[in-house]
Amino acid sequence: MSYQALYRTWRPRQFKDVIGQEVITQTLKNALTADKVSHAYLFSGPRGTGKTSCAKILAKAVNCTNLIDGEPCNHCENCIASDNGSLNDLLEIDAASNNGVDEIRDIRDKVKYAPSQGQYKVYIIDEVHMLSMGAFNALLKTLEEPPEHVIFILATTELQKVPATIISRTQKFIFKNLQVKTITNHLIEVLEDMEIDYDSEAVAMIAKVSDGGMRDALSILDQIISFNSGSQVTVKEVEETTGYANTRAVQSILISILNRNLTESLQESTDLQDKGITVKNILTEVIDVLTTMLLAQKDIKQANTTELIQKAQETSQNQLLAMIEYANEALNNLKYSTQQKTLLDVFVVKSVNYVPATGVEDAHIQEELTTLNQKLNQAIQQIEQLKSKPVQQVSTQSTKLPKPSVEKKRRHNYQQQVYDVLRTATKGDLKQVIDVWKDVLKALAPSKRAMMEVSKPVAASPTQVVIAFEYDIWFEKVLDDQGLLDDLNRYLELELKESRQIILVPTAEWPVLRQDFIKKHKSEIKSSNSQQDDKIQEEKSESDVVSKAKELFGSEFISIKD
Ligand SMILES: [Zn+2]
């Protein structure tokens, strides 16, 4: 028997087998049962989240002659033909492999003919964002007046590249990244079915490294199984296959750092690199673990080892934040430097050294520090030299310099913008945004989502929303991440069915801005009433201000100071 890739063997054949997208599959089943199938669907979301699987199942179901509760039967003639690719009425076009103008034109010409075998002609267009403008226009013409017997299922990983005119003519479904736990459970199911032994930590690592996509997770598992002639899946194999830093090893480095044991933490980080784990992967995992610790401090149930939680609670928030900043700095500098190891060592040294003097009396450690400081200076020089040269691959954000004027300008920018929002803000608008905010974040890639965990909507008008960030470092980072901002805008628009401009502010600034605005607003009202300068009027205007403020933010926030 020839070998089949796991993701093919385990490709879902019915909606109930699609993992982690229950809302979507249930909606589709309901539509099928009620015979209310739409003429055009758009499935968007990250790779490996089930878009193509759902498209194939839906295409099969609409032509199944024995539909059971919205599920294709998989046994009728049409189901069998759909599954083996011989159904004439089902056409699959991969827009990534050709730009498709001819194929779309061909669809436009043939679309008017009735299906030959089933009830519907179904066109699945994968990676639809890759179509050329010409092809989009041809497709649009067909979508404007689709014949009764035709269904289009468009799939894309990049919704923002699909023209709005196409999007507005389809029924949209956003496929979300799968949770690590969901992927882990499915991998375990696969392994148990194949009767292969596994280490649960290893399976969780595969789930984590696959970034929310089931197909990647199954491919990694495939590689490990074939590597290993199918005997066992262990942490060591996962590390070797993926170059992924073992969370436990990283936790151990961080615990050594927090115990101020420089020699041990440097040794542990060297050991990890000797196993073939890249500095980039180690630093990424370091930031992940530190963020987990930060959240654990705030009592958010995130952390997974008790020693780590304990350590997190003994450590000041500032220290964890500083360490995240050091790791981030090292990560950003990696692309400029050939001295990868040094950058990791610098992170370790700076972190161990966070509180001056007391922890570093040992002469040996002092000596090591001096050498590392020299190396650090070399690395910095090298970085500066590289930075001063024009580097082509470097994106615009890396040219960001911490100039005070820039910071001031930024503050000025959001101050004006926040005032604009507050002028027309209502509690109702804010509630609307808060209600969907979780879903918006869920739609983001995990690394992006982590940056947004410390954010929350604090005010909204019918056209704008203010998002506050607990920590300046995330505020800055998100502000510089245009891709993330685009994603946020897009997902928010999809959830609310209308677009809102997003304005970011640091949480610390928010009460100040709000208070300033209320004060300003108050004087405006006062001045408008100044002609009738009696006490009762003034009291009335005061209560107008308070009620306006309550309307904006809810009563718990209001305390007016003159
Ligand atoms: Zn069937």
Side-chain angles (χ1 to χ4, degrees):
M1 195 184 94
S2 71
Y3 182 75
Q4 259 215 322
L6 280 182
Y7 83 87
R8 285 189 192 283
T9 328
W10 285 81
R11 166 154 272 171
R13 299 177 65 218
Q14 287 192 313
F15 288 120
K16 68 173 171 53
D17 305 324
V18 177
I19 290 167
Q21 311 292 358
E22 287 75 13
V23 176
I24 294 176
T25 50
Q26 191 56 53
T27 312
L28 291 172
K29 280 199 287 185
N30 292 347
L32 283 157
T33 314
D35 204 12
K36 289 198 171 132
V37 179
S38 157
H39 284 288
Y41 289 92
L42 178 57
F43 293 172
S44 80
R47 43 187 267 125
T49 49
K51 299 183 297 296
T52 314
S53 298
C54 276
K56 288 187 177 195
I57 298 166
L58 176 60
K60 181 162 63 174
V62 295
N63 280 324
C64 172
T65 52
N66 185 26
L67 203 68
I68 307 154
D69 294 332
E71 293 279 15
C73 74
N74 283 338
H75 296 295
C76 71
E77 214 177 307
N78 288 352
C79 278
I80 291 167
S82 296
D83 274 343
N84 64 26
S86 65
L87 189 75
N88 289 328
D89 299 321
L90 172 58
L91 272 109
E92 291 181 48
I93 298 166
D94 183 3
S97 62
N98 55 58
N99 69 1
V101 191
D102 291 341
E103 279 190 285
I104 301 287
R105 288 219 180 101
D106 196 43
I107 292 178
R108 211 177 61 186
D109 296 338
K110 287 182 182 159
V111 88
K112 51 183 179 283
Y113 303 116
S116 57
Q117 203 172 340
Q119 198 187 344
Y120 291 99
K121 271 188 156 162
V122 187
Y123 295 93
I124 298 178
I125 309 180
D126 212 358
E127 297 300 350
V128 67
H129 63 272
M130 304 280 280
L131 289 179
S132 65
M133 237 342 128
F136 270 130
N137 286 333
L139 178 62
L140 190 59
K141 289 224 164 62
T142 316
L143 287 180
E144 274 166 351
E145 285 172 43
E148 271 302 303
H149 58 262
V150 169
I151 295 171
F152 283 94
I153 309 172
L154 316 176
T156 181
T157 46
E158 297 188 56
L159 186 58
Q160 77 281 10
K161 291 186 182 161
V162 180
T165 44
I166 300 274
I167 297 178
S168 67
R169 287 187 166 77
T170 60
Q171 193 177 345
K172 288 178 290 289
F173 287 97
I174 299 183
F175 286 65
K176 289 168 185 171
N177 266 318
L178 303 179
Q179 308 265 347
V180 170
K181 199 171 162 30
T182 310
I183 297 183
T184 309
N185 290 343
H186 185 61
L187 295 180
I188 287 175
E189 194 189 334
V190 171
L191 285 162
E192 286 182 350
D193 181 80
M194 295 173 83
E195 295 180 349
I196 292 175
D197 275 348
Y198 61 89
D199 177 342
S200 4
E201 196 187 340
V203 179
M205 276 169 77
I206 300 176
K208 220 168 152 187
V209 80
S210 55
D211 216 17
M214 189 63 86
R215 193 170 41 198
D216 284 354
L218 287 170
S219 299
I220 294 168
L221 190 60
D222 240 346
Q223 280 181 52
I224 293 169
I225 292 170
S226 46
F227 230 18
N228 198 15
S229 46
S231 61
Q232 207 189 2
V233 178
T234 65
V235 169
K236 193 167 153 269
E237 258 96 44
V238 179
E239 281 176 357
E240 277 167 4
T241 313
T242 63
Y244 190 67
N246 180 345
T247 308
R248 220 163 42 182
V250 168
Q251 285 174 355
S252 164
I253 296 175
L254 288 173
I255 287 169
S256 301
I257 288 176
L258 293 170
N259 288 335
R260 304 208 174 279
N261 191 334
L262 182 61
T263 318
E264 197 170 307
S265 34
L266 286 173
Q267 188 56 53
E268 281 174 316
S269 86
T270 307
D271 290 347
L272 208 50
Q273 291 171 73
D274 288 347
K275 284 188 188 168
I277 318 275
T278 64
V279 170
K280 184 173 172 237
N281 278 337
I282 297 173
L283 285 168
T284 309
E285 184 64 20
V286 160
I287 294 175
D288 251 27
V289 175
L290 285 169
T291 309
T292 306
M293 291 174 81
L294 208 55
L295 296 174
Q297 270 189 337
K298 309 210 107 205
D299 275 325
I300 297 169
K301 284 177 193 138
Q302 285 277 343
N304 39 19
T305 62
T306 37
E307 194 185 359
L308 199 73
I309 294 176
Q310 210 182 346
K311 215 67 210 168
Q313 274 151 4
E314 290 165 7
T315 311
S316 76
Q317 180 179 299
N318 283 344
Q319 184 171 0
L320 292 178
L321 285 169
M323 285 168 71
I324 292 176
E325 225 166 318
Y326 302 153
N328 216 14
E329 198 184 346
L331 201 56
N332 285 335
N333 286 334
L334 282 180
K335 50 180 175 279
Y336 303 110
S337 177
T338 48
Q339 302 183 24
Q340 310 268 305
K341 183 180 186 316
T342 310
L343 287 170
L344 181 57
D345 290 348
V346 167
F347 158 75
V348 172
V349 175
K350 279 170 103 175
S351 300
V352 170
N353 233 357
Y354 173 71
V355 179
T358 50
V360 282
E361 281 152 1
D362 190 299
H364 171 63
I365 292 178
Q366 281 297 1
E367 199 180 309
E368 208 157 2
L369 260 178
T370 318
T371 331
L372 277 165
N373 267 329
Q374 283 166 355
K375 281 189 183 171
L376 169 62
N377 286 333
Q378 280 171 9
I380 289 171
Q381 269 176 13
Q382 192 187 21
I383 290 161
E384 290 307 322
Q385 275 170 10
L386 281 164
K387 272 186 181 170
S388 62
K389 287 181 202 157
V391 182
Q392 274 183 329
Q393 300 99 309
V394 176
S395 68
T396 46
Q397 70 183 55
S398 62
T399 57
K400 183 197 137 208
L401 293 170
K403 279 189 201 153
S405 62
V406 173
E407 299 308 316
K408 246 188 209 160
K409 195 167 158 242
R410 277 187 171 174
R411 185 175 193 283
H412 177 73
N413 273 346
Y414 64 69
Q415 185 174 17
Q416 269 316 316
Q417 288 176 321
V418 167
Y419 286 171
D420 284 348
V421 181
L422 291 183
R423 252 170 229 124
T424 48
T426 69
K427 253 165 75 176
D429 283 304
L430 178 59
K431 189 178 174 299
Q432 229 190 335
V433 176
I434 289 174
D435 285 348
V436 301
W437 192 242
K438 263 205 178 124
D439 289 328
V440 171
L441 297 194
K442 268 192 208 152
L444 297 170
S447 58
K448 305 271 176 195
R449 200 185 313 141
M451 291 209 259
M452 296 301 299
E453 295 281 6
V454 293
S455 74
K456 96 177 178 209
V458 290
S461 74
T463 53
Q464 292 162 306
V465 53
V466 180
I467 306 295
F469 279 82
E470 189 109 5
Y471 305 111
D472 284 5
I473 121 163
W474 299 127
F475 165 72
E476 291 286 330
K477 234 178 121 121
V478 174
L479 206 58
D480 282 330
D481 191 337
Q482 195 53 48
L484 173 54
L485 290 172
D486 290 345
D487 283 352
L488 283 173
N489 271 313
R490 198 171 72 242
Y491 293 134
L492 189 62
E493 181 175 351
L494 285 168
E495 291 288 346
L496 294 175
K497 313 271 181 270
E498 59 188 16
S499 86
R500 299 265 166 121
Q501 189 197 357
I502 295 178
I503 293 143
L504 309 178
V505 297
T507 300
E509 293 284 331
W510 169 240
V512 183
L513 289 168
R514 195 175 50 195
Q515 202 73 38
D516 283 355
F517 176 78
I518 295 172
K519 271 193 199 165
K520 226 174 142 207
H521 195 91
K522 188 170 128 182
S523 64
E524 272 167 23
I525 292 179
K526 271 186 181 171
S527 68
S528 76
N529 287 327
S530 61
Q531 282 137 329
Q532 310 134 310
D533 191 17
D534 69 64
K535 218 175 173 188
I536 300 164
Q537 242 343 311
E538 187 154 321
E539 270 170 20
K540 187 176 178 302
S541 76
E542 174 83 35
S543 72
D544 276 354
V545 175
V546 174
S547 63
K548 172 73 182 166
K550 279 184 181 161
E551 197 184 307
L552 294 181
F553 318 116
S555 54
E556 67 270 35
F557 292 117
I558 306 304
S559 75
I560 297 184
K561 292 173 197 150
D562 278 304

